[in-house]
Amino acid sequence: MNYGLHEQLELHEIASFKTICMTKSKTMQALVSDETLRQLLADDVLVSTRQLQELSSLLAKANS
């Protein structure tokens, strides 16, 4: 499947945003004292990692 340039750029923009969100969650984990919040942040990191892997495969397909 061929993606248009605008679609490739949108995928890249989403990947960049998810990377920033994941970085913030990882950083905040070390700073929060509430265990429930820390677990939510850890869960967010796991989900974001999976989503970034999926976006990476979509970007690889788009560039081929």
Side-chain angles (χ1 to χ4, degrees):
M1 173 185 289
N2 292 336
Y3 292 101
L5 180 59
H6 70 284
E7 293 168 320
Q8 292 178 33
L9 291 173
E10 288 174 1
L11 283 173
H12 189 272
E13 185 177 344
I14 293 168
S16 295
F17 177 72
K18 288 304 296 181
T19 301
I20 291 168
C21 292
M22 185 178 68
T23 302
K24 184 175 181 179
S25 290
K26 277 187 170 184
T27 303
M28 294 304 290
Q29 273 182 320
L31 301 175
V32 298
S33 57
D34 182 60
E35 189 56 41
T36 305
L37 179 55
R38 186 176 290 130
Q39 186 58 49
L40 285 171
L41 291 168
D43 292 344
D44 181 56
V45 169
L46 291 175
V47 170
S48 293
T49 301
R50 187 179 71 245
Q51 290 171 338
L52 283 168
Q53 289 170 343
E54 292 174 13
L55 286 168
S56 177
S57 71
L58 286 173
L59 282 168
K61 289 178 187 176
N63 291 327
S64 61

